[in-house]
Amino acid sequence: MRKLHSLLGLLVALLAVVVAISGAILSLDPPLERLDSTIHADGQISVALLAGRVAQHYPGVEQIQRSPEGLVIVYYSRNGKTGVDRVDPHTGQGLGPYVVSPFSRWLKDLHRAWLLDTPGRLASGLTALAMLVLMVSGSVLLVRRVGGWRHLADPLRGNLIQRWHTQVGRIVVLGLLVSALTGVYMSAATFALIPDGMQSEPDFPSAVTRGPVAPVTALPALVATDLNHLRELVYPSPDDPSGVYSLSTDQGEGYVDPSNGALLVFQPYGGVRQTYELIYKLHTGEGLWWLALLLGLCALSVPLLSATGALTWWQRRQSMPRMVGNSAANSADTVILVGSESNSTWGFANTLHDALRKAGLRVHTAAMNQLATEYLKVERLFILTATYGDGDAPSSAKQFLTRLGKVKAPSRTGFAVLGFGDRQFPQFCKFAYDVEAALLAQGWRRLLDIDTIDRQSGQAFTRWGNAVGQLIGQELNLLHTPKRPRTDAFTLIERDDYGEAVQAPTSILRFAAVPLQGFKGRLMGLFGGQGLPHFEVGDLLGVVPPGSAIPRFYSLASKSSDGFLEICVRKLEGGLCSEYLHGLPLGGRMDAFIQLHPDFRPAAGKAPVILIGSGTGIGPLAGFIRNNTGKHPMYLYWGGRDPASDFLYKPELDAYLADGRLTGLHAAFSRIQNGAYVQDRVLGDATQLRQLLESDGQVLVCGSRAMAKSIAQALDEVLAPLNLSVATLKAQGRYREDVF
């Protein structure tokens, strides 16, 4: 869906911008015409009365029209010359010539047909169809991005360009959908792909009274027709004894006898014609001047959406490594499939890709989600994959195991799996092991035993490359240095220190953005770009310590609108990043970047929220409480060591209890007399927790993996009487974890 949306947007961007800008300018016509027709008929003027008034000032009147905005226009002959005037319907007096500017005609031709007649109309129709597809696909992507229809009004995530694209898109999507859908309908009618109801006209009357012509004010058919329903009245030719009045209203068309005023023939519009006219009105705004303004404003967003969409596509493309000489899947003898969450694994894959190409192999590299059902010439399959969260597949590999189940193992193809991860996590490279097990179970032939890379180790990658070289019979030097992520500078403005007495020094650190200097800083300042980047509580801060290119991630306890960046860090013996952060003085600087983590935050609504954590896991939980300004039910279960030393956030939590942002606080401390752990508090409050979860409550857990495992076991025990489990809550989106 994203590829369709991006590629189609890039293909039609220029066409869409021209159509949108011309449409926006044309949308001014209905309101300007409405202003021009300052004198309106109020339903008390008949067509007969209007015609009589006009005849006093225009003896040579040939035709009277009423525009959708109420402007009355008279076509007449005088002294052998023709003219067109605007008239006052109350007096019949002229208000001035009626002139359509050449620019307006040119602009309409540009908008409708690109100044190219029939080929241009086809191009315009295809542009409208492309816009319709873009609006539908964009709506689907928006709903997925925010997590469902219920979250459409929630704050948006992403960088500035992505937020602009999405924010503007969700404001104007309905208006652009109306314009695109009606444009497609009208184009289809233009090329007779669907009927418009205009093909049939009323038959000319077979019999007309041949008597003296009655005054137009006395013709019953015209007396019975209100001016507000008139579209056009065409007078009979003075030299034609069989001539009749041609009357067109918003209900249909017919002919009026000039002698007795009888309605000789009247053909009402059918449903098809009425539908087309409604579509036309919705597209142009003619007769609905306020709608024209709204659609015009929506159309003005198209250049911005095109620009931000193209920039977003470019940023995404730039973040992916360039695979030089990437052979087609069906002609390659070697395939590399990549599973990555933040694109870092792609860098290693690119190095392997280039080395194998230089060794004379035909290499195809793609995401694991793009596993083909058959590879015609592949002899070897290399899978390089990271693991996400608690042993899960990264985003580019979420569909791999499902697709693998539909592929028959080829006898000629062998495989090797290389996992990427961090050994401090219990589920180190678990997904890589799952992939190898699934391949073996499907009957695939293993070329090399599974190997793993800890913390993006270049040395380990080189060692694995030597084994691959022996496999293909050529020396293979895989030298890869992870690319240092782009970071911003932040300065430490405040810190609260805890835990020294229990040998667990922990600090709550708050940072401010460091303003850019020079011309770039002044330019960013003009556009409000000198503040914090956009982030929400629960997103991740990637800190890059000096002397390392590998970031360490910390859960954020604040959001950008709080005005500061806050993390909770425990000092670990020998921990490169934690020791660096604990050693920062006030005013000290660090380099870091934001990584979104939308899967860890409370769902919108008033359902109770149960927050469970231990140690520094309290950081984002305290942030959720801080931002619970609606004071919805929120309960915190948290475990520490000693309330006298490491009761993190205690002053803030007391204040939140007092003002109603926190409904209940249940703390447990393990290093005091009769000490307890947080899972003991959960089991002790089983009755209340069951009531909260029966009321659609949700659970958010943050802290160590060991704690999270104990909490899951405790909650399974609590939920058993309800025939529920943690697995069920996870499937319902009511149980979310951020564990480390």
Side-chain angles (χ1 to χ4, degrees):
M1 184 68 73
R2 183 180 289 112
K3 287 182 179 178
L4 170 68
H5 187 79
S6 300
L7 294 178
L8 187 59
L10 291 169
L11 286 173
V12 304
L14 181 59
L15 298 177
V17 167
V18 173
V19 169
I21 292 178
S22 58
I25 298 173
L26 290 171
S27 72
L28 296 175
D29 286 350
L32 289 175
E33 189 172 293
R34 181 72 176 177
L35 289 173
D36 196 26
S37 58
T38 52
I39 304 175
H40 304 284
D42 55 7
Q44 299 178 357
I45 300 177
S46 67
V47 173
L49 182 57
L50 171 68
R53 292 169 177 172
V54 168
Q56 296 176 14
H57 300 280
Y58 297 89
V61 58
E62 297 175 350
Q63 182 178 342
I64 299 175
Q65 284 184 352
R66 180 183 179 276
S67 75
E69 299 304 331
L71 192 67
V72 178
I73 304 164
V74 172
Y75 294 78
Y76 63 93
S77 296
R78 183 180 294 162
N79 300 324
K81 296 182 178 180
T82 59
V84 186
D85 281 1
R86 298 172 292 114
V87 301
D88 179 350
H90 295 283
T91 65
Q93 256 185 324
L95 299 173
Y98 176 73
V99 180
V100 178
S101 72
F103 174 73
S104 181
R105 286 196 295 268
W106 177 85
L107 195 64
K108 283 185 178 180
D109 193 19
L110 173 67
H111 182 77
R112 295 173 178 174
W114 290 89
L115 311 177
L116 297 173
D117 199 34
T118 300
R121 290 183 183 275
L122 178 60
S124 185
L126 292 175
T127 302
L129 179 60
M131 287 289 293
L132 179 61
V133 175
L134 285 171
M135 291 305 102
V136 173
S137 59
S139 300
V140 173
L141 291 171
L142 172 61
V143 170
R144 289 181 179 176
R145 181 181 180 86
V146 300
W149 292 102
R150 293 183 302 170
H151 305 292
L152 278 179
D154 287 0
L156 297 170
R157 303 181 295 274
N159 60 38
L160 181 64
I161 292 173
Q162 292 170 335
R163 295 201 311 276
W164 266 100
H165 187 78
T166 311
Q167 179 74 298
V168 172
R170 70 177 176 182
I171 292 173
V172 303
V173 62
L174 185 59
L176 293 180
L177 267 173
V178 170
S179 294
L181 185 59
T182 53
V184 169
Y185 183 96
M186 291 168 58
S187 294
T190 298
F191 289 98
L193 299 176
I194 57 174
D196 60 7
M198 296 187 182
Q199 289 76 16
S200 60
E201 296 181 357
D203 296 329
F204 193 83
S206 57
V208 180
T209 304
R210 297 183 180 277
V213 176
V216 69
T217 56
L219 300 177
L222 301 185
V223 172
T225 304
D226 189 276
L227 173 59
N228 286 330
H229 298 299
L230 177 69
R231 289 185 176 175
E232 183 180 70
L233 177 67
V234 180
Y235 284 66
S237 172
D239 302 326
D240 183 4
S242 63
V244 294
Y245 288 95
S246 177
L247 177 66
S248 175
T249 71
D250 56 10
Q251 300 298 316
E253 301 173 354
Y255 300 102
V256 178
D257 192 307
S259 297
N260 59 25
L263 190 60
L264 300 174
V265 176
F266 186 79
Q267 181 171 301
Y269 297 139
V272 174
R273 173 72 177 267
Q274 290 177 335
T275 299
Y276 179 84
E277 292 194 348
L278 174 62
I279 296 295
Y280 185 87
K281 180 183 289 188
L282 291 174
H283 186 78
T284 64
E286 292 183 6
L288 297 170
W289 63 269
W290 53 269
L291 177 62
L293 281 179
L294 288 176
L295 294 180
L297 290 173
C298 291
L300 286 176
S301 70
V302 171
L304 178 62
L305 290 173
S306 298
T308 54
L311 287 171
T312 298
W313 171 84
W314 179 251
Q315 289 176 342
R316 188 182 300 119
R317 185 176 177 84
Q318 288 297 100
S319 69
M320 297 290 289
R322 295 174 178 82
M323 298 295 175
V324 178
N326 200 13
S327 300
N330 286 331
S331 63
D333 54 38
T334 303
V335 169
I336 303 171
L337 296 181
V338 184
S340 181
E341 184 68 28
S342 59
N343 287 339
S344 59
T345 309
W346 282 97
F348 289 90
N350 196 23
T351 300
L352 176 62
H353 176 97
D354 290 342
L356 292 175
R357 277 188 63 249
K358 291 176 182 177
L361 303 181
R362 297 186 304 278
V363 187
H364 172 74
T365 301
M368 291 177 68
N369 286 336
Q370 295 176 270
L371 172 71
T373 54
E374 182 181 14
Y375 294 109
L376 299 179
K377 301 179 180 179
V378 173
E379 300 174 13
R380 57 195 70 84
L381 170 67
F382 296 109
I383 295 180
L384 280 61
T385 182
T387 295
Y388 179 71
D390 193 18
D392 299 325
S395 58
S396 68
K398 286 186 179 296
Q399 302 169 26
F400 175 79
L401 294 178
T402 301
R403 294 174 71 96
L404 181 63
K406 303 175 182 178
V407 177
K408 183 179 180 181
S411 58
R412 66 182 175 278
T413 304
F415 76 90
V417 176
L418 179 64
F420 292 79
D422 189 329
R423 288 196 183 278
Q424 69 175 320
F425 298 130
Q427 301 292 350
F428 173 67
C429 291
K430 180 180 182 299
F431 181 69
Y433 286 101
D434 291 343
V435 167
E436 184 187 54
L439 287 164
L440 291 173
Q442 289 284 102
W444 289 66
R445 180 168 53 89
R446 182 166 54 190
L447 298 175
L448 294 173
D449 289 339
I450 188 172
D451 206 343
T452 56
I453 304 292
D454 180 34
R455 302 187 187 187
Q456 302 185 36
S457 168
Q459 295 88 342
F461 187 57
T462 300
R463 184 195 68 237
W464 182 77
N466 294 334
V468 174
Q470 293 176 11
L471 178 68
I472 65 174
Q474 296 192 46
E475 184 177 350
L476 208 62
N477 293 319
L478 298 184
L479 301 177
H480 178 73
T481 301
K483 183 179 178 181
R484 179 185 172 94
R486 184 186 173 198
T487 59
D488 295 312
F490 301 91
T491 182
L492 183 62
I493 58 173
E494 188 178 350
R495 67 184 302 151
D496 298 321
D497 296 320
Y498 297 84
E500 288 287 352
V502 288
Q503 295 78 49
T506 304
S507 295
I508 298 171
L509 306 176
R510 298 181 182 92
F511 296 85
V514 175
L516 295 173
Q517 302 299 315
F519 172 77
K520 187 175 181 180
R522 292 192 295 272
L523 183 63
M524 293 293 289
L526 289 175
F527 293 94
Q530 286 283 41
L532 294 167
H534 179 78
F535 58 89
E536 299 289 334
V537 176
D539 285 341
L540 303 175
L541 179 72
V543 180
V544 183
S548 174
I550 303 174
R552 275 66 166 176
F553 291 96
Y554 298 89
S555 299
L556 283 161
S558 60
K559 64 179 182 179
S560 48
S561 60
D562 290 334
F564 52 84
L565 187 153
E566 179 178 309
I567 55 177
C568 190
V569 182
R570 179 183 170 188
K571 184 178 179 180
L572 300 175
E573 190 68 31
L576 178 64
C577 196
S578 66
E579 289 190 346
Y580 160 66
L581 290 173
H582 271 258
L584 273 179
L586 290 177
R589 295 188 178 188
M590 71 165 181
D591 293 330
F593 61 94
I594 302 296
Q595 181 169 301
L596 302 181
H597 191 201
D599 293 332
F600 187 69
R601 58 197 56 171
K606 299 180 180 180
V609 178
I610 303 162
L611 307 172
I612 305 176
S614 64
T616 58
I618 195 174
L621 307 184
F624 295 142
I625 300 168
R626 177 190 297 135
N627 288 283
N628 182 26
T629 53
K631 300 180 180 179
H632 305 312
M634 191 168 279
Y635 301 82
L636 174 63
Y637 292 80
W638 176 76
R641 297 189 177 192
D642 189 327
S645 177
D646 67 343
F647 198 157
L648 306 176
Y649 287 97
K650 185 178 188 307
E652 292 91 338
L653 294 175
D654 289 341
Y656 301 151
L657 280 169
D659 66 17
R661 280 182 279 184
L662 180 60
T663 311
L665 172 61
H666 308 270
F669 298 94
S670 59
R671 295 195 179 180
I672 59 174
Q673 189 174 4
N674 299 322
Y677 294 94
V678 64
Q679 57 266 31
D680 299 322
R681 292 288 181 262
V682 169
L683 291 170
D685 279 353
T687 301
Q688 182 184 33
L689 288 173
R690 278 194 287 266
Q691 292 172 348
L692 295 174
L693 292 170
E694 279 186 307
S695 303
D696 295 325
Q698 52 186 307
V699 180
L700 287 93
V701 179
C702 187
S704 70
R705 293 181 183 272
M707 180 276 304
K709 183 177 181 180
S710 298
I711 290 298
Q713 293 171 347
L715 280 176
D716 276 336
E717 186 176 335
V718 169
L719 293 168
L722 302 178
N723 291 321
L724 285 174
S725 66
V726 167
T728 304
L729 295 181
K730 283 184 177 181
Q732 296 172 349
R734 296 167 57 198
Y735 191 96
R736 305 182 182 190
E737 292 179 321
D738 180 13
V739 294
F740 45 83

